[in-house]
Amino acid sequence: MAYLKPGRFLAALLLPAATLLPAAVIAQQGPETLATMPAAPPPIGLPQLQSQLSCPALQQRLLATVGGQASVWSITIADSQGRLLAELNGSRPRIPASNQKLVSTAYALDRLGTDYRLSTQLWRLSDGSFRLTGEGDPDLALPQLQRFAKLALGSGGGSGQLPPLLKLQIAEEPRQAWWPQGWHPDDRYYAYGAPITRLALTSNAIHEAVMNPPSRLQNLLQKTMLQQGAKVQVSLISARAPLPDDAVLMHQENSAPMHNLLSLANTESHNFTAEVLLRQGAGSWDLGQAAQRETLWLTQQGLPMQGVRVVDGSGLDRANRLTSRFLAALLLRMDQHPYGRDYLASMAVAGKRGTLRNLYVGTPLQGKFYGKTGTISGVRAISGVLVTTEGPRYVSAISNGASSPNETIGLVLRQAQNTRLCPP
């Protein structure tokens, strides 16, 4: 597995706040200024998930648990040695809902590392105008915007005179790229379906989705500048237009670290953050290209890719397809990863935290299952790592049409927790 270096602007984070650097200089910062990455693991992680069932007793319990609804379930249970303990329709592609976030976060963590932060930056151009650029910080808010405005207004020197007209460009993705094409139009009005943009105050959601984020940002910037007694001309420019080499970085606001971003995506199932992580991990905000790069990375990990289809980062698109065998293998693979603990720590916990906090409370599963939930119409999926006395069990359960899926998954997890069924 090869590691990509962090973003080209990471060097700027190590400089004093007053230091100004041209864009060309920042782009040429040597590798010695970048965060140190751990040694890369083998191209294909070991152990790999085996293809033959090895625990007949657990297999029988699994089949008995799902009963007559077997056709709508895909379930895979494996151990840390890569043994396939039990499985039902493990290679059948299913709509994964938010279990897709397990893929996006694994990819982003590998490509970007644990120290990575999303950045929002203010640049001064050679003609005296400014450009605001961003990477989709989900926690970007009005105080940061006010700091950018104040710095732009005060950039003319110590005279205290405000410029007669301040020109500010907002670098943003085109409107047609704000939502993945497969997201249902009705979902786009809700906070969970907010548009995916680079400059997203409060993740482009208030109580509902903000339908035109650049317009909102434009209005807030103009209002903020006007309060300071300045006139501003705010224009929209494509984020895909290159930044001039002589542009000077005036100020940078950083997001919470990768640990927080992963937890937001996995523990709280935040769609916006998962989408941003996919794009940043791929180094492209072209969603089709990002999905292709992620798929290539998954293939390089030796994962069972038959039937797998990646179309977005969050799982809100119903065209995504994953298999339970793939997800169990991914969980096993990430447990061998140098950042495996960070990956596990980003998940919800049964009866304790996140989207699993109200499930399996007061049972032996409480505090013992770290996982990701997924729910859209007709779909319920829960995949994660189950702690047992004989080591971890990697479990993926996806239903596309089951009744009482939470109860069924709970029973499956309890059976997997019974290590006497599968002796070493």
Side-chain angles (χ1 to χ4, degrees):
M1 182 190 303
Y3 284 91
L4 293 182
K5 295 294 185 181
R8 65 175 181 151
F9 301 119
L10 180 58
L13 307 184
L14 308 178
L15 297 170
T19 303
L20 304 180
L21 285 180
V25 172
I26 294 175
Q28 296 171 3
Q29 291 289 338
E32 67 277 4
T33 64
L34 299 175
T36 302
M37 305 289 278
I44 297 177
L46 296 175
Q48 294 186 62
L49 186 61
Q50 299 170 4
S51 58
Q52 298 298 318
L53 293 174
S54 62
C55 186
L58 182 57
Q59 179 70 12
Q60 291 175 5
R61 298 285 184 94
L62 170 60
L63 296 177
T65 298
V66 298
Q69 292 194 325
S71 64
V72 301
W73 279 101
S74 288
I75 301 173
T76 301
I77 305 171
D79 68 7
S80 60
Q81 302 304 310
R83 294 190 304 163
L84 186 61
L85 302 179
E87 187 173 64
L88 172 64
N89 301 323
S91 297
R92 182 175 297 178
R94 302 283 190 186
I95 302 171
S98 284
N99 270 206
Q100 190 74 32
K101 294 181 177 71
L102 289 172
V103 184
S104 306
T105 53
Y107 178 57
L109 181 59
D110 175 78
R111 308 314 281 174
L112 300 173
T114 56
D115 296 326
Y116 185 79
R117 295 171 185 256
L118 301 166
S119 65
T120 307
Q121 298 164 328
L122 179 68
W123 299 85
R124 185 173 65 195
L125 308 184
S126 59
D127 64 358
S129 64
F130 296 86
R131 184 179 298 181
L132 193 61
T133 65
E135 296 178 337
D137 180 358
D139 292 320
L140 187 67
L142 188 58
Q144 289 95 324
L145 196 66
Q146 291 171 334
R147 281 196 287 272
F148 283 122
K150 184 177 180 180
L151 285 164
L153 290 172
S155 64
S159 64
Q161 296 294 320
L162 295 175
L165 179 66
L166 189 145
K167 296 182 179 180
L168 176 63
Q169 299 173 348
I170 297 173
E172 193 50 87
E173 294 296 310
R175 175 183 282 271
Q176 62 267 26
W178 292 354
W179 288 276
Q181 291 184 357
W183 284 18
H184 194 282
D186 291 345
D187 287 333
R188 303 179 187 193
Y189 291 94
Y190 294 94
Y192 67 80
I196 313 303
T197 63
R198 289 177 175 269
L199 296 163
L201 291 176
T202 59
S203 301
N204 289 335
I206 306 174
H207 299 295
E208 297 178 344
V210 174
M211 302 306 290
N212 192 335
S215 178
R216 177 195 183 199
L217 185 64
Q218 199 169 11
N219 292 335
L220 286 172
L221 281 168
Q222 289 173 335
K223 181 179 180 180
T224 299
M225 297 287 195
L226 188 61
Q227 290 173 344
Q228 299 295 323
K231 294 182 179 180
V232 61
Q233 182 184 85
V234 183
S235 59
L236 189 63
I237 188 174
S238 172
R240 305 183 188 192
L243 194 69
D245 287 341
D246 59 356
V248 175
L249 178 61
M250 298 291 297
H251 182 63
Q252 177 167 300
E253 293 280 342
N254 297 317
S255 74
M258 179 62 87
H259 171 77
N260 299 66
L261 298 173
L262 295 174
S263 294
L264 189 56
N266 283 336
T267 295
E268 301 302 333
S269 202
H270 195 244
N271 290 333
F272 181 92
T273 302
E275 294 291 345
V276 168
L277 287 175
L278 167 60
R279 290 157 177 75
Q280 287 299 118
S284 173
W285 274 61
D286 180 304
L287 181 56
Q289 187 175 76
Q292 288 178 358
R293 291 179 181 179
E294 181 179 81
T295 301
L296 176 60
W297 177 82
L298 294 168
T299 302
Q300 291 170 343
Q301 308 315 303
L303 301 174
M305 296 296 292
Q306 183 177 0
V308 171
R309 185 186 182 199
V310 175
V311 296
D312 76 357
S314 62
L316 193 56
D317 195 317
R318 297 182 72 90
N320 288 297
R321 292 294 184 274
L322 299 180
T323 68
S324 62
R325 182 176 293 190
F326 165 85
L327 283 167
L330 175 66
L331 293 164
L332 172 65
R333 175 69 190 92
M334 289 306 294
D335 210 23
Q336 314 298 318
H337 195 281
Y339 302 145
R341 289 191 176 187
D342 298 271
Y343 185 65
L344 183 66
S346 74
M347 298 182 193
V349 182
K352 295 284 189 179
R353 186 177 70 197
T355 57
L356 283 169
R357 62 184 173 274
N358 295 324
L359 285 181
Y360 316 129
V361 177
T363 75
L365 297 174
Q366 183 169 342
K368 299 295 184 181
F369 180 71
Y370 296 74
K372 180 76 199 73
T373 60
T375 307
I376 54 178
S377 179
V379 178
R380 182 56 166 167
I382 298 180
S383 300
V385 181
L386 176 64
V387 178
T388 78
T389 56
E390 297 296 331
R393 298 285 187 264
Y394 308 98
V395 183
S396 176
I398 310 172
S399 72
N400 285 182
S403 61
S404 304
N406 287 342
E407 289 79 1
T408 299
I409 294 172
L411 291 172
V412 169
L413 289 171
R414 288 292 305 277
Q415 299 293 350
Q417 204 172 30
N418 183 359
T419 57
R420 292 176 295 178
L421 296 173
C422 306

